[in-house]
Amino acid sequence: MSSVESHQEQLSQSDPSPSPNSCSSFELLDMDAGSLYEPVSPHWFYCKIIDSKETWIPFNSEDSQQLEEAYGSGKDCNGRVVPTDGGRYDVHLGERMRYAVYWDELASEVRRCTWFYKGDKDNKYVPYSESFSQVLEETYMLAVTLDEWKKKLESPNREIIILHNPKLMVHYQPVAGSDEWGSTPTEQGRPRTVKRGVENISVDIHCGEPLQIDHLVFVVHGIGPACDLRFRSIVQCVNDFRSVSLNLLQTHFKKAQENQQIGRVEFLPVNWHSPLHSTGVDVDLQRITLPSINRLRHFTNDTILDVFFYNSPTYCQTIVDTVASEMNRIYKLFLQRNPNFKGGVSIAGHSLGSLILFDILTNQKDSLGDIDSEKDAPNTAMDQGDTLTLEEDLEKLQLSEFFSIFEKEKVDKEALVLCTDKDLQEMGIPLGPRKKILNYFRTRKNSAGINRPTLKPASGMNISNITKELEFCNKTDATGNGDYPDVGIGQVSVKYPRLIYKPEIFFAFGSPIGMFLTVRGLKRIDPNYKFPTCKGFFNIYHPFDPVAYRIEPMVVPGVEFEPMLIPHHKGRKRMHLELREGLTRMSMDLKNNLLGSLRMAWKSFTRAPYPALQASETTEETEAELESSSEKLSDVHTEETNVAVKEEVPPINVGMLNGGQRIDYVLQEKPIESFNEYLFALQSHLCYWESEDTVLLVLKEIYQTQGIFLDQPLQ
């Protein structure tokens, strides 16, 4: 017989002959001493493996209350499912298990907790099982009502708990090998503290998340399975990003929350690393990996090689298919679970993930019609935004005299795209016009974007403006014809899936997009270019991030200007940056004042006094000197004014990639980071998940499209 059953049997024997309609002994004792005993308030916890250790984490107060209401409703709990954590997890009440909704994750155990004991190493409190907690509560009630303490209980794993008084309750572990005959363990060793009720233990319990979801953001990770220096997954890092956003909404959008104008922004992770490495490529790599420096080679295979996989035709297709299909799948599931959602969707990518999203966005189509039919549709010059007739195209090329030849041969624009140099030669078109026509229509077909053949421009965009900035090699094909082959600019050709929604904003964190575009052969992005289905694009980076590159110099290559400095979330510049700027201004002022004083002194020193000068002449000379000194002082003021003007940079036209707004945004480094840039380089690439400045910029741009602004503009 277990200790729990024996204890219940002892309690039942306290009233040997209860009547059928009478109350139990506990109820009678509770009624007699109602002012002494108060039932414990339960709180729900779930178990999670953190650093190879089981850690019990409390549900937020709203979720715990929902679970308790479902538990106490009296209905069968076996089929009861309660959504928690903003709908990202479901708790199967009968199984006492918690399952992730949008991504793959090991299920975690759930408990209704009332009694806790302190752990060994981390000093965190661990809840007892529900059955033994009930035994402890019944024993505690008897001790309170009868005022009889020093109650000793034995747990199912033969651990001893002694209730000395309401404020002193201890837990003893059994002593191993105490007796070969299996004698009862004694209370030896270091005792652990026992607490009753979650209010008596030190644990942070959050209030919960707003039910209203205003916007949905998909977050795509970069290379490798780990996303920060603590080797956490994309799910854990996005959880931090979401927590920071909830805190910033309470501090920077307080008025909008009080007026119930906003709820929250939901951030959902998108994982493509696991599907890629489940294709069997790891096994193939392991066969050819050298046995030396095993850990470093394993890190290389699991992390750095993702960059090479993306440049492989086979695995690049796998990556883009995984990312797009995951975002489409999660979006459909999200709408099913949130049927009243009316907000927009944005996407964010870190490191290589931002490049994947950039390539997907540049290969979308403006129309969200039938995806399957569009995949099979021919890629002709009559695609999106091309409404000109063949005659108008030839007139644009100043080759209208050859329209009659095409009309006679019944060659339209679609047929002209398929023509070769030899075909045009047989029609009687000279070499010069022939090359101009082929280049014009081939580049329309192959280079209607900025980085590969399948890239399409936004509606109404002049494609030739982009292709003027690209350098294509005039190569001959296998037949010897001087045609421009169907090539991009250095990137593999893949079929890009369609997204079933139009993202509003694309956020890139620590992005190498600029470097990859340059390596592919792109020298300039046309200022009129914009994503076909996405209006906004923000390139956010830390100044010491070794992987990040700028975008704006590719749009405006002839102008040198600084990126936009992201304001500190507390509404000021960091102290060391203000000090640096203050010292710079002070040195400029001292320099200007010193130069002005030296000029005045030199002027007065070199002036020779002549007593014979008339008073009128002296007056004229004095006035001239005053005019000269005023000119010098005005020069000094002019220099100071120029410095001030430089600080207030006028608006710069960086094209339509971000709807006319600036694209590059740089974070402010921390004071300790400014001492050694190289020491914090790796950390700078992984800092975005917990950066309040980054999260606030994302929230500001998302809510700004809805006409909701910060309580106080940041300087």
Side-chain angles (χ1 to χ4, degrees):
M1 181 181 297
S2 66
S3 59
V4 177
E5 294 174 349
S6 62
H7 180 75
Q8 292 177 346
E9 183 178 353
Q10 293 174 5
L11 294 175
S12 63
Q13 292 176 357
S14 62
D15 188 8
S17 58
S19 62
N21 298 325
S22 64
C23 299
S24 66
S25 59
F26 298 116
E27 294 174 345
L28 292 174
L29 291 172
D30 192 14
M31 292 169 59
D32 294 338
S35 60
L36 298 177
Y37 172 76
E38 293 182 0
V40 64
S41 299
H43 196 92
W44 291 75
F45 282 66
Y46 63 92
C47 183
K48 199 167 186 179
I49 305 298
I50 300 178
D51 297 332
S52 302
K53 294 186 299 184
E54 290 187 353
T55 304
W56 287 90
I57 303 175
F59 286 95
N60 62 60
S61 56
E62 292 183 0
D63 290 343
S64 181
Q65 184 178 357
Q66 289 183 0
L67 290 169
E68 185 64 21
E69 291 176 356
Y71 172 81
S73 61
K75 299 180 181 179
D76 184 17
C77 295
N78 290 330
R80 196 70 180 270
V81 178
V82 180
T84 60
D85 298 275
R88 296 180 295 275
Y89 290 89
D90 283 342
V91 173
H92 293 229
L93 210 56
E95 302 176 19
R96 292 292 198 274
M97 298 297 290
R98 172 176 175 264
Y99 297 92
V101 174
Y102 297 107
W103 55 83
D104 293 331
E105 185 179 313
L106 292 176
S108 53
E109 182 185 353
V110 173
R111 282 186 190 175
R112 180 178 181 264
C113 304
T114 53
W115 284 77
F116 308 84
Y117 67 92
K118 185 174 288 188
D120 289 330
K121 299 179 180 179
D122 52 8
N123 289 328
K124 293 184 178 179
Y125 282 92
V126 180
Y128 289 103
S129 64
E130 293 187 30
S131 58
F132 188 67
S133 295
Q134 183 179 358
V135 173
L136 286 171
E137 182 65 20
E138 292 171 352
T139 305
Y140 178 85
M141 184 182 66
L142 281 174
V144 170
T145 54
L146 299 177
D147 197 20
E148 296 179 358
W149 292 95
K150 292 188 178 180
K151 299 287 185 180
K152 182 185 293 187
L153 294 89
E154 182 180 343
S155 67
N157 54 354
R158 305 192 69 190
E159 297 177 345
I160 294 178
I161 296 91
I162 300 178
L163 310 182
H164 292 284
N165 57 59
K167 296 184 179 180
L168 180 58
M169 296 174 283
V170 292
H171 177 124
Y172 292 95
Q173 287 183 314
V175 179
S178 59
D179 194 333
E180 62 179 359
W181 299 100
S183 61
T184 304
T186 58
E187 57 273 14
Q188 296 180 3
R190 186 176 180 181
R192 304 179 184 179
T193 305
V194 176
K195 294 293 184 180
R196 175 179 178 266
V198 70
E199 62 276 1
N200 293 319
I201 64 175
S202 57
V203 62
D204 294 331
I205 300 177
H206 301 285
C207 298
E209 304 176 14
L211 297 178
Q212 177 185 342
I213 300 177
D214 306 318
H215 204 85
L216 175 63
V217 180
F218 294 112
V219 184
V220 180
H221 65 86
I223 61 174
C227 297
D228 65 355
L229 292 177
R230 287 177 282 176
F231 298 98
R232 297 185 303 167
S233 65
I234 179 64
V235 174
Q236 295 171 307
C237 291
V238 173
N239 287 342
D240 277 352
F241 202 89
R242 189 187 304 110
S243 299
V244 174
S245 71
L246 293 174
N247 294 333
L248 291 175
L249 286 175
Q250 296 176 358
T251 56
H252 290 72
F253 294 87
K254 189 175 182 180
K255 295 180 181 178
Q257 278 198 334
E258 291 176 351
N259 298 331
Q260 296 183 348
Q261 292 179 290
I262 63 173
R264 64 183 174 91
V265 177
E266 180 62 280
F267 297 90
L268 296 180
V270 178
N271 182 15
W272 56 266
H273 181 270
S274 298
L276 171 65
H277 287 262
S278 62
T279 58
V281 62
D282 288 347
V283 178
D284 298 334
L285 287 173
Q286 189 62 34
R287 289 199 300 266
I288 60 176
T289 302
L290 300 180
S292 59
I293 54 173
N294 182 48
R295 292 185 179 180
L296 180 58
R297 295 187 192 278
H298 175 73
F299 174 79
T300 302
N301 291 346
D302 203 33
T303 303
I304 301 178
L305 285 187
D306 287 347
V307 179
F308 297 97
F309 286 146
Y310 191 65
N311 288 323
S312 164
T314 302
Y315 296 109
C316 180
Q317 187 70 59
T318 302
I319 293 174
V320 296
D321 287 344
T322 301
V323 172
S325 62
E326 273 294 287
M327 290 195 294
N328 288 339
R329 180 190 66 84
I330 296 174
Y331 182 68
K332 291 179 182 178
L333 183 57
F334 178 83
L335 292 183
Q336 292 176 3
R337 296 176 63 88
N338 301 273
N340 298 324
F341 176 72
K342 303 297 182 183
V345 183
S346 294
I347 55 179
H350 175 244
S351 189
L352 182 63
S354 64
L355 177 66
I356 298 171
L357 292 177
F358 183 87
D359 289 339
I360 291 177
L361 287 179
T362 53
N363 288 278
Q364 297 297 297
K365 292 185 178 180
D366 192 19
S367 175
L368 290 179
D370 185 17
I371 298 176
D372 295 331
S373 62
E374 289 181 354
K375 284 184 178 180
D376 299 331
N379 186 12
T380 67
M382 298 296 293
D383 274 334
Q384 300 287 335
D386 190 3
T387 58
L388 298 178
T389 63
L390 177 58
E391 185 176 5
E392 292 172 340
D393 282 329
L394 294 175
E395 183 179 356
K396 186 176 180 180
L397 295 173
Q398 298 180 353
L399 300 174
S400 301
E401 63 271 20
F402 300 104
F403 176 71
S404 59
I405 298 177
F406 293 117
E407 190 176 22
K408 179 181 179 182
E409 297 289 340
K410 297 183 179 180
V411 175
D412 56 8
K413 294 177 67 174
E414 184 175 349
L416 185 55
V417 172
L418 303 176
C419 290
T420 64
D421 182 76
K422 186 177 181 180
D423 295 331
L424 298 182
Q425 185 179 3
E426 292 177 352
M427 294 181 193
I429 299 177
L431 177 62
R434 195 164 67 233
K435 291 299 181 183
K436 292 176 65 176
I437 294 173
L438 284 175
N439 180 50
Y440 179 76
F441 286 98
R442 285 290 177 82
T443 52
R444 273 179 172 267
K445 175 187 176 184
N446 297 332
S447 305
I450 64 173
N451 74 328
R452 60 187 67 192
T454 55
L455 186 61
K456 293 297 175 185
S459 177
M461 176 185 172
N462 186 359
I463 305 173
S464 60
N465 291 337
I466 296 179
T467 57
K468 288 178 182 178
E469 306 299 334
L470 302 179
E471 294 183 354
F472 289 89
C473 299
N474 186 3
K475 300 179 180 179
T476 58
D477 57 12
T479 62
N481 297 327
D483 299 337
Y484 287 98
D486 292 340
V487 295
I489 51 175
Q491 176 65 351
V492 297
S493 178
V494 297
K495 295 182 179 179
Y496 285 89
R498 292 287 309 281
L499 299 178
I500 59 177
Y501 53 86
K502 291 185 177 182
E504 293 187 2
I505 308 176
F506 169 36
F507 299 98
F509 306 140
S511 173
I513 292 175
M515 181 268 289
F516 270 85
L517 293 181
T518 303
V519 170
R520 292 172 183 175
L522 180 68
K523 294 187 177 295
R524 183 171 181 264
I525 300 175
D526 188 270
N528 295 323
Y529 178 77
K530 58 183 178 180
F531 295 125
T533 59
C534 184
K535 299 178 181 178
F537 175 37
F538 289 84
N539 182 37
I540 304 169
Y541 61 92
H542 190 282
F544 303 154
D545 189 341
V547 181
Y549 289 82
R550 292 192 63 183
I551 298 294
E552 291 174 341
M554 300 188 70
V555 183
V556 192
V559 182
E560 292 186 2
F561 54 94
E562 296 294 325
M564 292 291 292
L565 186 66
I566 299 177
H568 194 271
H569 66 282
K570 292 185 178 179
R572 57 171 176 76
K573 285 186 178 179
R574 294 188 182 272
M575 185 177 299
H576 69 288
L577 295 179
E578 292 181 346
L579 181 61
R580 184 190 304 169
E581 292 183 0
L583 291 175
T584 302
R585 285 195 296 267
M586 185 183 301
S587 62
M588 289 294 297
D589 293 340
L590 289 174
K591 178 181 177 182
N592 293 332
N593 293 334
L594 181 61
L595 289 176
S597 300
L598 290 175
R599 287 168 183 163
M600 293 290 294
W602 179 258
K603 186 68 177 178
S604 61
F605 178 76
T606 55
R607 184 185 62 188
Y610 293 100
L613 288 178
Q614 297 180 357
S616 60
E617 294 177 348
T618 304
T619 304
E620 292 176 359
E621 184 178 355
T622 303
E623 292 176 355
E625 284 185 18
L626 291 175
E627 291 178 1
S628 176
S629 62
S630 63
E631 289 177 0
K632 298 298 182 181
L633 291 175
S634 64
D635 292 340
V636 174
H637 291 301
T638 303
E639 291 179 3
E640 295 178 351
T641 304
N642 291 337
V643 173
V645 170
K646 288 182 180 179
E647 291 181 354
E648 298 179 1
V649 180
I652 301 174
N653 182 15
V654 291
M656 299 304 298
L657 195 56
N658 192 22
Q661 300 183 65
R662 294 291 300 274
I663 301 173
D664 293 336
Y665 289 79
V666 61
L667 293 167
Q668 302 178 33
E669 72 271 15
K670 297 178 182 178
I672 191 174
E673 294 174 342
S674 61
F675 287 107
N676 193 321
E677 300 178 1
Y678 296 94
L679 185 62
F680 294 94
L682 180 59
Q683 178 180 336
S684 300
H685 183 59
L686 307 172
C687 71
Y688 307 99
W689 307 115
E690 299 178 355
S691 170
E692 293 92 344
D693 300 348
T694 301
V695 178
L696 186 58
L697 176 63
V698 172
L699 294 177
K700 181 175 73 72
E701 295 300 329
I702 287 176
Y703 281 112
Q704 189 170 293
T705 59
Q706 304 176 16
I708 300 173
F709 303 92
L710 295 170
D711 293 341
Q712 294 181 354
L714 300 179
Q715 298 292 332

